[in-house]
Amino acid sequence: MTVIIAFLANFLVAVAKTIAAAVTGSASMIAEAAHSWADCGNEIFLLIADRQSKRSKDVRHPFGYGRSAFLWSLVAAFGLFTAGSIVSVTNGISQLSNPEPVESPLVAYIVLAIAFVLEGISFLQAWRTSRRLAKERRSSTWDYVLGTSDTTLRAVFFEDSAALIGLVIAGGSIGMHQLTGNAVWDAAGSILVGVLLGIVALVLIKRNFEFLVGTSVSPTVRDAVGRALLEAPAVNRVTYLHIEYVGPNKLFLVAEIDLTGDQTEHDVARRLRDVEREIATHERIEAVVLSLSVDDEPSLEFGPAPAL
């Protein structure tokens, strides 16, 4: 729903900005139009990512298709960099060498104001979702968005944030052009919008690349998984724990545990399988592999953590 709202808002904004750019000839408006069309394309990729990642696992993909979300989100981030950032910077540099006056600036202001409202609605949806999930995990909204494996939510949050800042930059640049009569301000606005998009794109590229090649979970997630293991009635202690993301909010868990009691090998194997099946029922666990601890291995300690 978050992506659909963002796509509809960006599509309407992109059309309005394109018309305004044609009417005004403003470099900043051209940059903003490129920004919105890039966002529209990105959100299509994000919808593909969301759909592909939810495919059921099969024999050839025992961990499911979750990592495809990181791949498609990486493609979307590259799209934002090329179709948004590079186009905006190039356009601004071109305008610097051949500055032109902005015609009918009122049209630009009206479109920017409407765009700010629509982008604000989309951002508010992403912000509310992020804040709610951050509270559940006892984290700040910013830390949650930056660290979450939910690539779709992070992309919409960052792109909408950049959109709102970009609108302010474009409006300010056109305003300074009017006040000073110097078209350089408008060209500088286009370059600044491009730089902003480049920074956001590089952040998204970096995070998606890290999840795609494998990144460690946060200490909070590790503590939550460890505490959940120890709370199982059959588990006495945990001596090894490996957790990795295999998709948005999907984990692959490998652990060595010591079972309670002192039973025969056959009974121990059955109890170990039962614990695996119990853990695998959790919505965030895609796959789990448990083995028995060796007596002389030290126990792992886990701090208090919110529910997984």
Side-chain angles (χ1 to χ4, degrees):
M1 181 59 70
T2 300
V3 181
I4 294 175
I5 292 175
F7 174 78
L8 293 175
N10 278 312
F11 180 78
L12 294 174
V13 168
V15 172
K17 286 179 180 178
T18 302
I19 295 173
V23 171
T24 64
S26 166
S28 295
M29 286 304 303
I30 294 173
E32 279 298 304
H35 178 186
S36 292
W37 284 118
D39 281 351
C40 286
N42 291 349
E43 271 128 27
I44 292 175
F45 284 126
L46 293 176
L47 287 171
I48 295 174
D50 184 61
R51 181 173 181 178
Q52 288 290 321
S53 66
K54 291 179 180 177
R55 293 173 62 186
S56 300
K57 55 187 176 182
D58 51 39
V59 175
R60 296 186 61 186
H61 299 86
F63 296 149
Y65 292 80
R67 283 197 176 98
S68 62
F70 305 140
L71 176 61
W72 284 106
S73 297
L74 184 65
V75 173
F78 272 114
L80 180 65
F81 185 80
T82 54
S85 178
I86 294 178
V87 169
S88 298
V89 172
T90 303
N91 175 66
I93 294 174
S94 175
Q95 289 290 332
L96 280 176
S97 59
N98 186 27
E100 296 180 3
V102 175
E103 304 291 341
S104 305
L106 180 60
V107 174
Y109 292 136
I110 292 174
V111 170
L112 290 173
I114 294 173
F116 195 89
V117 172
L118 293 175
E119 295 283 9
I121 293 172
S122 177
F123 174 73
L124 187 61
Q125 171 71 17
W127 181 75
R128 284 176 174 171
T129 302
S130 301
R131 185 180 65 171
R132 174 177 56 80
L133 294 174
K135 284 185 175 180
E136 290 177 0
R137 289 158 178 77
R138 301 176 189 173
S139 172
S140 68
T141 302
W142 173 258
D143 287 341
Y144 174 77
V145 172
L146 194 60
T148 181
S149 60
D150 189 340
T151 59
T152 300
L153 179 61
R154 179 171 48 251
V156 172
F157 186 97
F158 272 93
E159 288 178 8
D160 286 348
S161 300
L164 293 173
I165 297 172
L167 290 169
V168 173
I169 292 174
S173 300
I174 295 173
M176 290 301 296
H177 181 185
Q178 275 192 285
L179 288 174
T180 64
N182 190 345
V184 170
W185 284 103
D186 186 37
S190 179
I191 295 173
L192 287 175
V193 169
V195 171
L196 173 66
L197 295 181
I199 293 172
V200 170
L202 289 175
V203 170
L204 295 177
I205 288 171
K206 179 177 181 294
R207 292 302 290 144
N208 284 306
F209 180 79
E210 289 172 345
F211 279 106
L212 189 59
V213 301
T215 183
S216 59
V217 299
S218 67
T220 301
V221 172
R222 180 178 174 81
D223 285 340
V225 172
R227 299 298 299 180
L229 281 171
L230 290 174
E231 288 173 1
V235 178
N236 182 42
R237 64 194 186 102
V238 179
T239 59
Y240 174 81
L241 181 60
H242 170 80
I243 312 167
E244 65 179 86
Y245 286 105
V246 292
N249 298 316
K250 292 296 183 180
L251 301 172
F252 170 48
L253 167 64
V254 180
E256 292 181 2
I257 62 175
D258 182 20
L259 297 176
T260 57
D262 186 15
Q263 296 175 305
T264 64
E265 181 179 351
H266 178 271
D267 291 333
V268 168
R270 185 176 296 278
R271 291 182 66 197
L272 193 65
R273 181 59 57 86
D274 290 341
V275 174
E276 280 186 345
R277 288 173 177 169
E278 180 181 354
I279 295 172
T281 60
H282 195 286
E283 61 180 358
R284 294 192 63 184
I285 302 298
E286 189 68 36
V288 55
V289 176
L290 299 180
S291 60
L292 294 176
S293 301
V294 179
D295 291 341
D296 59 357
E297 289 180 332
S299 301
L300 298 181
E301 296 183 359
F302 305 99
L308 180 63

